Amino acid sequence: MSDPVEQTLEPTGPVGSVESAARPVLEVKDLHKVYPGDTHAVKGVSFIINKGECLGVVGESGSGKSTLARCLLTLEPPSAGQATLEGEPILWRYGRQLRNIRRRLQVVFQNPSSSFNSRLTMYDSLLEPLRTRGFASPSFVQPGTQRRVAEQLVDLVHLPVACLDRKPHELSGGEKQRVAIARAISVEPTLLVFDEPTASLDVSIQARVLNLLQELKERLGLSSMFISHDLSAVQFMSERSIVLRGGEIVDRFTRDELFEDGRDQYTKDLIKLFEG
């Protein structure tokens, strides 16, 4: 496959500043989301995510996890509350401000198949965010042609470069999710949101993807929010976690505190569910 005409672009460089490292990457205060019919999907949620940290968000279906994520990703407006990204308000923004915020927030969804245009090769899908934003490459790969940048990105997620010339239907679910992860990190987001990233994968593939995410977190210093109903996956990925039930936070704990007696009964029930 021949390379397209190369563009003269500027590297992304790391997003943020030295000053921003001293404050939380994401700070959420008293966030609410009420839908028509008085459905209160998110009720007064508050938390912070520090630089280089992964915060787990766990709960059963309908607990408000994905609604919370959509509000923070600016995909839908909350009803009340505040959220800042490195000190900058991110809610109720429009135009250029909204576009800049969305560049700094990237997401990996549950179903990798729905993340790609079936008519595009993985090469074009992978580079789409960089091209759209006018960037040549992230700072963690060697500068080069667009093809060389794409090859380095798929190498980071342990895929052969041959996958770049394939279309989505020619890859497995696990391979597509790895390309989705490579695409998400390519623009060096301030915060990555993983919304049930392994839920649609075979059990044999889930552990490999989780190990990959941990590897990338340590290598690139990623700040992230990991959303899942799977408490074991959340514990593996996250230094701290919150538990949602009916849109409210009912428990907070560090990885080492999960099995302490002070856990909320709902958390204990979730532990029993996954241990059983």
Side-chain angles (χ1 to χ4, degrees), residues 8-262:
T8 302
L9 304 171
E10 294 297 325
T12 63
V15 178
S17 64
V18 173
E19 293 181 354
S20 70
R23 58 176 176 261
V25 168
L26 180 71
E27 185 168 8
V28 180
K29 295 181 179 179
D30 198 26
L31 195 74
H32 293 260
K33 178 64 180 180
V34 182
Y35 290 107
D38 201 30
T39 301
H40 208 156
V42 177
K43 303 176 182 178
V45 168
S46 300
F47 62 84
I48 64 171
I49 298 177
N50 295 309
K51 188 172 181 63
E53 180 184 43
C54 178
L55 178 77
V57 181
V58 66
E60 295 176 293
S61 297
S63 63
K65 306 185 306 297
S66 292
T67 300
L68 171 64
R70 288 195 298 270
C71 290
L72 297 177
L73 289 164
T74 72
L75 299 178
E76 61 179 271
S79 302
Q82 302 175 36
T84 58
L85 191 67
E86 293 188 325
E88 178 185 350
I90 63 174
L91 303 179
W92 300 291
R93 290 294 184 261
Y94 305 94
R96 180 179 296 179
Q97 285 183 329
L98 179 60
R99 289 192 296 273
N100 289 339
I101 288 167
R102 285 180 171 172
R103 178 178 69 83
R104 299 171 64 194
L105 294 165
Q106 292 294 307
V107 60
V108 176
F109 289 110
Q110 174 177 339
N111 185 357
S113 296
S114 64
S115 301
F116 297 101
N117 186 328
S118 61
R119 295 174 295 180
L120 297 180
T121 63
M122 304 313 285
Y123 171 78
D124 286 318
S125 290
L126 176 60
L127 291 183
E128 186 175 20
L130 287 169
R131 291 169 173 169
T132 299
R133 292 162 175 81
F135 297 147
S137 67
S139 62
F140 53 79
V141 304
Q142 293 295 319
T145 65
Q146 290 187 343
R147 180 73 185 193
R148 180 58 185 141
V149 168
E151 289 174 350
Q152 292 178 81
L153 285 170
V154 295
D155 183 63
L156 274 174
V157 295
H158 306 305
L159 285 175
V161 296
C163 77
L164 291 170
D165 301 318
R166 297 174 184 166
K167 291 187 176 180
H169 71 275
E170 299 177 281
L171 300 182
S172 69
E175 289 170 333
K176 281 182 281 195
Q177 195 65 300
R178 287 172 183 264
V179 177
I181 292 166
R183 183 174 61 181
I185 66 175
S186 70
V187 291
E188 297 189 83
T190 306
L191 181 74
L192 264 169
V193 176
F194 298 104
D195 191 358
E196 300 273 11
T198 61
S200 66
L201 304 178
D202 293 339
V203 174
S204 61
I205 304 299
Q206 291 179 5
R208 298 178 191 175
V209 173
L210 291 175
N211 285 328
L212 170 65
L213 293 178
Q214 274 286 25
E215 177 187 326
L216 292 173
K217 177 180 179 293
E218 295 171 4
R219 180 170 181 174
L220 304 178
L222 301 177
S223 306
S224 60
M225 182 165 69
F226 187 89
I227 299 168
S228 180
H229 68 282
D230 184 341
L231 191 55
S232 60
V234 169
Q235 185 193 23
F236 177 76
M237 287 298 304
S238 310
E239 288 85 0
R240 293 185 300 113
S241 298
I242 59 175
V243 178
L244 287 182
R245 183 181 188 185
E248 296 181 275
I249 296 178
V250 297
D251 208 352
R252 302 171 186 264
F253 48 85
T254 66
R255 179 183 290 140
D256 295 336
E257 294 170 342
L258 174 60
F259 296 102
E260 292 185 354
D261 291 338

